[in-house]
Amino acid sequence: MTEIPTLAGEYEPSALEWVREQIERYEASGGTEAATLRDTGIPVVVVTMRGAQSGKVRKIALMRVEHGGEYAFVASYGGAPKHPVWYHNLVAHPDEVLLQDGPEPFRVRVREVHGDERAEWWQRAVAVFSNYGEYQQRTERTIPVLVASPA
Ligand code: F42
């Protein structure tokens, strides 16, 4: 029986209620409920990380962009002018990350990608969730793309 990985520390739920609720339902159902972005039918994953300032355990949901066992995390936040706060957490603690895509979470290592590698992952991301293209149009910032590989 493989042990289910966890991050030690105090869990601080997302400040966004709809996100907090989606994560709770996804985890409680082993990824069989709340597994898509609202009624879009597009799958999501749950990412657990270490807060860059608080050191607390934080969780977010992201669109599921998978290729060859790796996943892209697109820090779009709806095209907001600033990066979502979770981006800073993953940059600060790239080795303290869990990814849940189904019944159980597993450890991943995260790296930000640039240039051709970013362009390749961006194309995959937009193919899964075309809104990413619109979000990038909405903001001056270049939306960061991070790639998670099983650790
Ligand atoms: N967000 C995306 O950016 N991309 C997606 O593809 C995406 C898909 C998605 C699907 C389903 C769903 O339910 C949500 C989805 N979201 C997606 C939203 C995503 O889950 C996040 O909620 C959103 O991106 C905003 O992330 P955030 O980290 O900015 O969250 C804010 C609202 C938040 O929780 N802030 C906390 C607060 O108290 O205000 C602090 C959180 C935090 O991590 N604090 C750090 C710490 O140390 O604890 C401080 C970090 C620092 O350096 O300031």
Side-chain angles (χ1 to χ4, degrees):
M1 170 78 170
T2 49
E3 189 208 332
I4 297 179
T6 56
L7 283 193
E10 181 196 341
Y11 172 45
E12 178 77 42
S14 167
L16 298 174
E17 190 180 348
W18 66 280
V19 177
R20 188 168 61 238
E21 280 174 7
Q22 170 145 34
I23 291 167
E24 278 164 10
R25 281 188 58 218
Y26 186 98
E27 291 185 325
S29 67
T32 59
E33 285 175 30
T36 62
L37 174 65
R38 289 190 286 271
D39 55 358
T40 62
I42 307 174
V44 302
V45 293
V46 170
V47 179
T48 301
M49 66 191 82
R50 175 82 52 208
Q53 311 294 328
S54 69
K56 289 180 180 175
V57 175
R58 301 283 192 172
K59 297 185 185 189
I60 57 168
L62 293 174
M63 302 319 292
R64 181 185 184 280
V65 180
E66 185 273 342
H67 180 78
E70 292 189 307
Y71 294 76
F73 298 170
V74 178
S76 50
Y77 200 14
K82 287 179 71 180
H83 296 334
V85 169
W86 61 261
Y87 168 75
H88 304 292
N89 298 340
L90 292 176
V91 167
H93 302 291
D95 291 312
E96 290 197 80
V97 189
L98 306 179
L99 171 67
Q100 185 164 354
D101 175 21
E104 290 175 5
F106 53 94
R107 288 192 183 288
V108 291
R109 187 179 192 308
V110 172
R111 69 186 192 281
E112 186 166 358
V113 290
H114 303 280
D116 292 349
E117 192 179 12
R118 181 188 180 284
E120 205 176 6
W121 278 103
W122 181 258
Q123 215 165 13
R124 292 177 185 135
V126 173
V128 166
F129 186 54
S130 59
N131 292 33
Y132 284 139
E134 291 155 39
Y135 296 159
Q136 184 56 83
Q137 299 300 321
R138 268 188 213 165
T139 176
E140 295 296 308
R141 70 185 171 97
T142 299
I143 292 176
V145 177
L146 301 144
V147 172
S149 313

mmCIF file of all heavy atoms in Angstrom, residues 90-128:
data_model
loop_
_atom_site.group_PDB
_atom_site.id
_atom_site.type_symbol
_atom_site.label_atom_id
_atom_site.label_comp_id
_atom_site.label_asym_id
_atom_site.label_seq_id
_atom_site.Cartn_x
_atom_site.Cartn_y
_atom_site.Cartn_z
ATOM 1 N N LEU A 90 4.930 28.661 -5.830
ATOM 2 C CA LEU A 90 5.579 27.573 -6.582
ATOM 3 C C LEU A 90 7.006 27.954 -6.961
ATOM 4 O O LEU A 90 7.905 27.115 -6.988
ATOM 5 C CB LEU A 90 4.761 27.216 -7.823
ATOM 6 C CG LEU A 90 3.407 26.575 -7.535
ATOM 7 C CD1 LEU A 90 2.626 26.342 -8.823
ATOM 8 C CD2 LEU A 90 3.581 25.246 -6.792
ATOM 9 N N VAL A 91 7.227 29.238 -7.232
ATOM 10 C CA VAL A 91 8.601 29.699 -7.546
ATOM 11 C C VAL A 91 9.485 29.570 -6.300
ATOM 12 O O VAL A 91 10.633 29.143 -6.383
ATOM 13 C CB VAL A 91 8.567 31.156 -8.068
ATOM 14 C CG1 VAL A 91 9.955 31.770 -8.105
ATOM 15 C CG2 VAL A 91 7.911 31.212 -9.452
ATOM 16 N N ALA A 92 8.895 29.879 -5.145
ATOM 17 C CA ALA A 92 9.663 29.840 -3.893
ATOM 18 C C ALA A 92 9.912 28.409 -3.416
ATOM 19 O O ALA A 92 10.964 28.102 -2.860
ATOM 20 C CB ALA A 92 8.924 30.622 -2.803
ATOM 21 N N HIS A 93 8.964 27.534 -3.626
ATOM 22 C CA HIS A 93 9.075 26.152 -3.109
ATOM 23 C C HIS A 93 8.693 25.142 -4.189
ATOM 24 O O HIS A 93 7.686 24.426 -4.077
ATOM 25 C CB HIS A 93 8.155 25.971 -1.897
ATOM 26 C CG HIS A 93 8.438 26.923 -0.772
ATOM 27 N ND1 HIS A 93 9.596 26.854 -0.004
ATOM 28 C CD2 HIS A 93 7.743 27.989 -0.310
ATOM 29 C CE1 HIS A 93 9.575 27.830 0.892
ATOM 30 N NE2 HIS A 93 8.473 28.535 0.730
ATOM 31 N N PRO A 94 9.516 25.027 -5.255
ATOM 32 C CA PRO A 94 9.172 24.151 -6.393
ATOM 33 C C PRO A 94 9.205 22.656 -6.071
ATOM 34 O O PRO A 94 8.680 21.839 -6.830
ATOM 35 C CB PRO A 94 10.252 24.483 -7.436
ATOM 36 C CG PRO A 94 11.402 25.030 -6.653
ATOM 37 C CD PRO A 94 10.820 25.722 -5.456
ATOM 38 N N ASP A 95 9.834 22.333 -4.902
ATOM 39 C CA ASP A 95 9.941 20.918 -4.525
ATOM 40 C C ASP A 95 8.919 20.500 -3.486
ATOM 41 O O ASP A 95 8.909 19.355 -3.052
ATOM 42 C CB ASP A 95 11.349 20.649 -3.940
ATOM 43 C CG ASP A 95 12.411 20.749 -5.022
ATOM 44 O OD1 ASP A 95 12.184 20.125 -6.081
ATOM 45 O OD2 ASP A 95 13.397 21.477 -4.834
ATOM 46 N N GLU A 96 8.089 21.463 -3.065
ATOM 47 C CA GLU A 96 7.066 21.117 -2.062
ATOM 48 C C GLU A 96 5.699 21.248 -2.704
ATOM 49 O O GLU A 96 4.906 22.145 -2.392
ATOM 50 C CB GLU A 96 7.184 22.060 -0.856
ATOM 51 C CG GLU A 96 8.438 21.829 -0.032
ATOM 52 C CD GLU A 96 8.314 22.471 1.339
ATOM 53 O OE1 GLU A 96 7.668 21.873 2.214
ATOM 54 O OE2 GLU A 96 8.853 23.573 1.512
ATOM 55 N N VAL A 97 5.468 20.364 -3.671
ATOM 56 C CA VAL A 97 4.234 20.460 -4.475
ATOM 57 C C VAL A 97 3.634 19.054 -4.657
ATOM 58 O O VAL A 97 4.374 18.092 -4.926
ATOM 59 C CB VAL A 97 4.522 21.068 -5.864
ATOM 60 C CG1 VAL A 97 3.208 21.371 -6.612
ATOM 61 C CG2 VAL A 97 5.346 22.359 -5.745
ATOM 62 N N LEU A 98 2.302 18.985 -4.481
ATOM 63 C CA LEU A 98 1.577 17.744 -4.771
ATOM 64 C C LEU A 98 0.563 18.059 -5.866
ATOM 65 O O LEU A 98 0.030 19.164 -5.924
ATOM 66 C CB LEU A 98 0.816 17.246 -3.530
ATOM 67 C CG LEU A 98 1.610 17.044 -2.237
ATOM 68 C CD1 LEU A 98 0.670 16.574 -1.128
ATOM 69 C CD2 LEU A 98 2.750 16.060 -2.429
ATOM 70 N N LEU A 99 0.314 17.053 -6.714
ATOM 71 C CA LEU A 99 -0.678 17.206 -7.782
ATOM 72 C C LEU A 99 -1.700 16.084 -7.646
ATOM 73 O O LEU A 99 -1.325 14.916 -7.450
ATOM 74 C CB LEU A 99 0.005 17.104 -9.156
ATOM 75 C CG LEU A 99 -0.911 17.033 -10.379
ATOM 76 C CD1 LEU A 99 -1.664 18.335 -10.556
ATOM 77 C CD2 LEU A 99 -0.104 16.751 -11.639
ATOM 78 N N GLN A 100 -2.972 16.434 -7.668
ATOM 79 C CA GLN A 100 -3.999 15.391 -7.657
ATOM 80 C C GLN A 100 -4.766 15.458 -8.966
ATOM 81 O O GLN A 100 -5.371 16.458 -9.288
ATOM 82 C CB GLN A 100 -4.951 15.533 -6.464
ATOM 83 C CG GLN A 100 -5.952 14.378 -6.393
ATOM 84 C CD GLN A 100 -6.664 14.248 -5.069
ATOM 85 O OE1 GLN A 100 -6.354 14.960 -4.109
ATOM 86 N NE2 GLN A 100 -7.637 13.369 -4.986
ATOM 87 N N ASP A 101 -4.645 14.344 -9.742
ATOM 88 C CA ASP A 101 -5.373 14.234 -11.023
ATOM 89 C C ASP A 101 -6.061 12.868 -10.978
ATOM 90 O O ASP A 101 -5.601 11.889 -11.559
ATOM 91 C CB ASP A 101 -4.378 14.305 -12.199
ATOM 92 C CG ASP A 101 -5.067 14.075 -13.539
ATOM 93 O OD1 ASP A 101 -6.300 14.259 -13.607
ATOM 94 O OD2 ASP A 101 -4.370 13.676 -14.505
ATOM 95 N N GLY A 102 -7.126 12.792 -10.143
ATOM 96 C CA GLY A 102 -7.775 11.486 -9.928
ATOM 97 C C GLY A 102 -7.810 11.170 -8.443
ATOM 98 O O GLY A 102 -7.824 12.069 -7.615
ATOM 99 N N PRO A 103 -7.761 9.847 -8.082
ATOM 100 C CA PRO A 103 -8.059 9.471 -6.696
ATOM 101 C C PRO A 103 -7.065 9.998 -5.651
ATOM 102 O O PRO A 103 -7.431 10.319 -4.540
ATOM 103 C CB PRO A 103 -8.040 7.941 -6.719
ATOM 104 C CG PRO A 103 -8.019 7.534 -8.142
ATOM 105 C CD PRO A 103 -7.600 8.694 -8.962
ATOM 106 N N GLU A 104 -5.776 10.013 -6.021
ATOM 107 C CA GLU A 104 -4.795 10.373 -4.986
ATOM 108 C C GLU A 104 -3.754 11.371 -5.479
ATOM 109 O O GLU A 104 -3.389 11.334 -6.658
ATOM 110 C CB GLU A 104 -4.052 9.104 -4.542
ATOM 111 C CG GLU A 104 -4.921 8.152 -3.747
ATOM 112 C CD GLU A 104 -4.163 6.861 -3.446
ATOM 113 O OE1 GLU A 104 -2.954 6.774 -3.778
ATOM 114 O OE2 GLU A 104 -4.785 5.946 -2.902
ATOM 115 N N PRO A 105 -3.220 12.206 -4.576
ATOM 116 C CA PRO A 105 -2.166 13.145 -4.969
ATOM 117 C C PRO A 105 -0.819 12.444 -5.097
ATOM 118 O O PRO A 105 -0.611 11.369 -4.514
ATOM 119 C CB PRO A 105 -2.143 14.146 -3.815
ATOM 120 C CG PRO A 105 -2.679 13.408 -2.634
ATOM 121 C CD PRO A 105 -3.616 12.367 -3.166
ATOM 122 N N PHE A 106 0.075 13.022 -5.880
ATOM 123 C CA PHE A 106 1.449 12.514 -5.962
ATOM 124 C C PHE A 106 2.404 13.711 -5.993
ATOM 125 O O PHE A 106 1.986 14.834 -6.312
ATOM 126 C CB PHE A 106 1.654 11.607 -7.179
ATOM 127 C CG PHE A 106 1.239 12.202 -8.499
ATOM 128 C CD1 PHE A 106 2.163 12.870 -9.321
ATOM 129 C CD2 PHE A 106 -0.084 12.100 -8.942
ATOM 130 C CE1 PHE A 106 1.773 13.406 -10.542
ATOM 131 C CE2 PHE A 106 -0.477 12.645 -10.161
ATOM 132 C CZ PHE A 106 0.453 13.299 -10.968
ATOM 133 N N ARG A 107 3.657 13.443 -5.617
ATOM 134 C CA ARG A 107 4.652 14.530 -5.550
ATOM 135 C C ARG A 107 5.095 14.927 -6.955
ATOM 136 O O ARG A 107 5.307 14.066 -7.806
ATOM 137 C CB ARG A 107 5.895 14.068 -4.750
ATOM 138 C CG ARG A 107 5.646 13.946 -3.282
ATOM 139 C CD ARG A 107 6.921 13.788 -2.452
ATOM 140 N NE ARG A 107 6.571 13.597 -1.053
ATOM 141 C CZ ARG A 107 6.096 14.567 -0.261
ATOM 142 N NH1 ARG A 107 5.942 15.780 -0.756
ATOM 143 N NH2 ARG A 107 5.739 14.338 0.990
ATOM 144 N N VAL A 108 5.247 16.224 -7.164
ATOM 145 C CA VAL A 108 5.792 16.719 -8.438
ATOM 146 C C VAL A 108 6.849 17.773 -8.109
ATOM 147 O O VAL A 108 6.892 18.329 -7.016
ATOM 148 C CB VAL A 108 4.702 17.352 -9.336
ATOM 149 C CG1 VAL A 108 3.740 16.299 -9.869
ATOM 150 C CG2 VAL A 108 3.956 18.466 -8.623
ATOM 151 N N ARG A 109 7.705 18.000 -9.129
ATOM 152 C CA ARG A 109 8.665 19.092 -9.051
ATOM 153 C C ARG A 109 8.269 20.090 -10.136
ATOM 154 O O ARG A 109 7.914 19.674 -11.247
ATOM 155 C CB ARG A 109 10.088 18.549 -9.308
ATOM 156 C CG ARG A 109 11.140 19.594 -9.066
ATOM 157 C CD ARG A 109 12.562 19.186 -9.264
ATOM 158 N NE ARG A 109 13.483 20.193 -8.737
ATOM 159 C CZ ARG A 109 13.451 21.486 -9.043
ATOM 160 N NH1 ARG A 109 12.519 21.944 -9.833
ATOM 161 N NH2 ARG A 109 14.312 22.350 -8.527
ATOM 162 N N VAL A 110 8.299 21.392 -9.813
ATOM 163 C CA VAL A 110 7.778 22.403 -10.730
ATOM 164 C C VAL A 110 8.901 23.293 -11.232
ATOM 165 O O VAL A 110 9.808 23.641 -10.470
ATOM 166 C CB VAL A 110 6.707 23.243 -9.995
ATOM 167 C CG1 VAL A 110 6.259 24.424 -10.825
ATOM 168 C CG2 VAL A 110 5.497 22.363 -9.655
ATOM 169 N N ARG A 111 8.852 23.615 -12.554
ATOM 170 C CA ARG A 111 9.833 24.570 -13.103
ATOM 171 C C ARG A 111 9.086 25.509 -14.042
ATOM 172 O O ARG A 111 8.128 25.087 -14.694
ATOM 173 C CB ARG A 111 10.935 23.817 -13.863
ATOM 174 C CG ARG A 111 10.464 23.164 -15.149
ATOM 175 C CD ARG A 111 11.532 22.290 -15.810
ATOM 176 N NE ARG A 111 11.166 21.894 -17.168
ATOM 177 C CZ ARG A 111 10.301 20.909 -17.460
ATOM 178 N NH1 ARG A 111 9.729 20.231 -16.477
ATOM 179 N NH2 ARG A 111 10.002 20.615 -18.709
ATOM 180 N N GLU A 112 9.520 26.782 -14.071
ATOM 181 C CA GLU A 112 8.907 27.706 -15.031
ATOM 182 C C GLU A 112 9.564 27.476 -16.386
ATOM 183 O O GLU A 112 10.757 27.216 -16.475
ATOM 184 C CB GLU A 112 9.095 29.157 -14.579
ATOM 185 C CG GLU A 112 8.348 30.134 -15.484
ATOM 186 C CD GLU A 112 8.226 31.532 -14.904
ATOM 187 O OE1 GLU A 112 8.693 31.763 -13.758
ATOM 188 O OE2 GLU A 112 7.649 32.397 -15.589
ATOM 189 N N VAL A 113 8.777 27.511 -17.449
ATOM 190 C CA VAL A 113 9.325 27.287 -18.796
ATOM 191 C C VAL A 113 9.263 28.575 -19.610
ATOM 192 O O VAL A 113 8.429 29.456 -19.369
ATOM 193 C CB VAL A 113 8.583 26.139 -19.525
ATOM 194 C CG1 VAL A 113 8.917 24.786 -18.891
ATOM 195 C CG2 VAL A 113 7.085 26.387 -19.575
ATOM 196 N N HIS A 114 10.202 28.695 -20.534
ATOM 197 C CA HIS A 114 10.334 29.916 -21.351
ATOM 198 C C HIS A 114 10.573 29.522 -22.811
ATOM 199 O O HIS A 114 10.806 28.348 -23.115
ATOM 200 C CB HIS A 114 11.527 30.734 -20.840
ATOM 201 C CG HIS A 114 11.421 31.097 -19.383
ATOM 202 N ND1 HIS A 114 10.659 32.150 -18.919
ATOM 203 C CD2 HIS A 114 11.936 30.506 -18.263
ATOM 204 C CE1 HIS A 114 10.739 32.211 -17.601
ATOM 205 N NE2 HIS A 114 11.499 31.224 -17.174
ATOM 206 N N GLY A 115 10.518 30.515 -23.704
ATOM 207 C CA GLY A 115 10.917 30.313 -25.100
ATOM 208 C C GLY A 115 10.103 29.216 -25.792
ATOM 209 O O GLY A 115 8.896 29.114 -25.603
ATOM 210 N N ASP A 116 10.821 28.374 -26.537
ATOM 211 C CA ASP A 116 10.132 27.347 -27.338
ATOM 212 C C ASP A 116 9.363 26.367 -26.451
ATOM 213 O O ASP A 116 8.254 25.934 -26.800
ATOM 214 C CB ASP A 116 11.161 26.558 -28.180
ATOM 215 C CG ASP A 116 11.793 27.443 -29.264
ATOM 216 O OD1 ASP A 116 11.253 28.570 -29.467
ATOM 217 O OD2 ASP A 116 12.794 27.040 -29.869
ATOM 218 N N GLU A 117 9.992 26.030 -25.295
ATOM 219 C CA GLU A 117 9.299 25.062 -24.427
ATOM 220 C C GLU A 117 7.992 25.657 -23.923
ATOM 221 O O GLU A 117 6.957 24.987 -23.877
ATOM 222 C CB GLU A 117 10.203 24.670 -23.245
ATOM 223 C CG GLU A 117 9.660 23.464 -22.475
ATOM 224 C CD GLU A 117 10.555 23.033 -21.318
ATOM 225 O OE1 GLU A 117 11.490 23.775 -20.940
ATOM 226 O OE2 GLU A 117 10.291 21.939 -20.780
ATOM 227 N N ARG A 118 8.029 26.951 -23.589
ATOM 228 C CA ARG A 118 6.799 27.611 -23.120
ATOM 229 C C ARG A 118 5.770 27.635 -24.257
ATOM 230 O O ARG A 118 4.597 27.311 -24.061
ATOM 231 C CB ARG A 118 7.070 29.044 -22.647
ATOM 232 C CG ARG A 118 5.789 29.732 -22.138
ATOM 233 C CD ARG A 118 6.006 31.222 -21.844
ATOM 234 N NE ARG A 118 4.764 31.832 -21.363
ATOM 235 C CZ ARG A 118 3.732 32.148 -22.153
ATOM 236 N NH1 ARG A 118 3.801 31.910 -23.464
ATOM 237 N NH2 ARG A 118 2.632 32.677 -21.659
ATOM 238 N N ALA A 119 6.238 27.971 -25.466
ATOM 239 C CA ALA A 119 5.326 28.066 -26.621
ATOM 240 C C ALA A 119 4.634 26.736 -26.875
ATOM 241 O O ALA A 119 3.431 26.643 -27.121
ATOM 242 C CB ALA A 119 6.107 28.500 -27.863
ATOM 243 N N GLU A 120 5.385 25.632 -26.701
ATOM 244 C CA GLU A 120 4.824 24.287 -26.914
ATOM 245 C C GLU A 120 3.723 24.006 -25.887
ATOM 246 O O GLU A 120 2.622 23.566 -26.195
ATOM 247 C CB GLU A 120 5.979 23.281 -26.740
ATOM 248 C CG GLU A 120 5.816 21.971 -27.441
ATOM 249 C CD GLU A 120 7.091 21.116 -27.252
ATOM 250 O OE1 GLU A 120 7.998 21.497 -26.503
ATOM 251 O OE2 GLU A 120 7.132 20.047 -27.880
ATOM 252 N N TRP A 121 4.039 24.328 -24.612
ATOM 253 C CA TRP A 121 3.056 24.079 -23.544
ATOM 254 C C TRP A 121 1.876 25.047 -23.656
ATOM 255 O O TRP A 121 0.738 24.691 -23.368
ATOM 256 C CB TRP A 121 3.735 24.164 -22.169
ATOM 257 C CG TRP A 121 4.435 22.907 -21.795
ATOM 258 C CD1 TRP A 121 5.788 22.666 -21.833
ATOM 259 C CD2 TRP A 121 3.833 21.678 -21.334
ATOM 260 N NE1 TRP A 121 6.039 21.372 -21.439
ATOM 261 C CE2 TRP A 121 4.866 20.744 -21.115
ATOM 262 C CE3 TRP A 121 2.519 21.296 -21.083
ATOM 263 C CZ2 TRP A 121 4.635 19.448 -20.667
ATOM 264 C CZ3 TRP A 121 2.261 20.004 -20.628
ATOM 265 C CH2 TRP A 121 3.317 19.097 -20.426
ATOM 266 N N TRP A 122 2.155 26.291 -24.102
ATOM 267 C CA TRP A 122 1.058 27.256 -24.245
ATOM 268 C C TRP A 122 0.047 26.756 -25.267
ATOM 269 O O TRP A 122 -1.169 26.799 -25.057
ATOM 270 C CB TRP A 122 1.609 28.636 -24.650
ATOM 271 C CG TRP A 122 0.535 29.675 -24.791
ATOM 272 C CD1 TRP A 122 -0.018 30.141 -25.947
ATOM 273 C CD2 TRP A 122 -0.141 30.354 -23.719
ATOM 274 N NE1 TRP A 122 -1.007 31.061 -25.655
ATOM 275 C CE2 TRP A 122 -1.105 31.231 -24.301
ATOM 276 C CE3 TRP A 122 -0.047 30.305 -22.319
ATOM 277 C CZ2 TRP A 122 -1.948 32.042 -23.542
ATOM 278 C CZ3 TRP A 122 -0.892 31.114 -21.565
ATOM 279 C CH2 TRP A 122 -1.815 31.975 -22.181
ATOM 280 N N GLN A 123 0.570 26.188 -26.345
ATOM 281 C CA GLN A 123 -0.318 25.660 -27.400
ATOM 282 C C GLN A 123 -1.190 24.533 -26.832
ATOM 283 O O GLN A 123 -2.403 24.495 -27.060
ATOM 284 C CB GLN A 123 0.545 25.098 -28.532
ATOM 285 C CG GLN A 123 -0.070 25.305 -29.882
ATOM 286 C CD GLN A 123 0.965 25.088 -30.998
ATOM 287 O OE1 GLN A 123 2.062 24.557 -30.777
ATOM 288 N NE2 GLN A 123 0.593 25.501 -32.180
ATOM 289 N N ARG A 124 -0.567 23.656 -26.027
ATOM 290 C CA ARG A 124 -1.336 22.557 -25.421
ATOM 291 C C ARG A 124 -2.416 23.119 -24.484
ATOM 292 O O ARG A 124 -3.539 22.643 -24.435
ATOM 293 C CB ARG A 124 -0.396 21.638 -24.633
ATOM 294 C CG ARG A 124 0.559 20.853 -25.487
ATOM 295 C CD ARG A 124 1.524 19.999 -24.673
ATOM 296 N NE ARG A 124 2.499 19.354 -25.542
ATOM 297 C CZ ARG A 124 3.798 19.299 -25.271
ATOM 298 N NH1 ARG A 124 4.282 19.844 -24.153
ATOM 299 N NH2 ARG A 124 4.625 18.718 -26.104
ATOM 300 N N ALA A 125 -2.016 24.166 -23.742
ATOM 301 C CA ALA A 125 -2.954 24.748 -22.759
ATOM 302 C C ALA A 125 -4.160 25.373 -23.458
ATOM 303 O O ALA A 125 -5.315 25.116 -23.077
ATOM 304 C CB ALA A 125 -2.216 25.793 -21.907
ATOM 305 N N VAL A 126 -3.911 26.161 -24.520
ATOM 306 C CA VAL A 126 -4.997 26.817 -25.248
ATOM 307 C C VAL A 126 -5.878 25.776 -25.935
ATOM 308 O O VAL A 126 -7.106 25.948 -26.028
ATOM 309 C CB VAL A 126 -4.427 27.850 -26.254
ATOM 310 C CG1 VAL A 126 -5.515 28.421 -27.145
ATOM 311 C CG2 VAL A 126 -3.710 28.980 -25.516
ATOM 312 N N ALA A 127 -5.266 24.653 -26.336
ATOM 313 C CA ALA A 127 -6.074 23.586 -26.971
ATOM 314 C C ALA A 127 -7.064 22.987 -25.977
ATOM 315 O O ALA A 127 -8.188 22.624 -26.313
ATOM 316 C CB ALA A 127 -5.143 22.495 -27.508
ATOM 317 N N VAL A 128 -6.642 22.955 -24.688
ATOM 318 C CA VAL A 128 -7.534 22.410 -23.644
ATOM 319 C C VAL A 128 -8.568 23.451 -23.233
ATOM 320 O O VAL A 128 -9.750 23.159 -23.049
ATOM 321 C CB VAL A 128 -6.687 21.996 -22.403
ATOM 322 C CG1 VAL A 128 -7.578 21.766 -21.184
ATOM 323 C CG2 VAL A 128 -5.851 20.758 -22.709
#
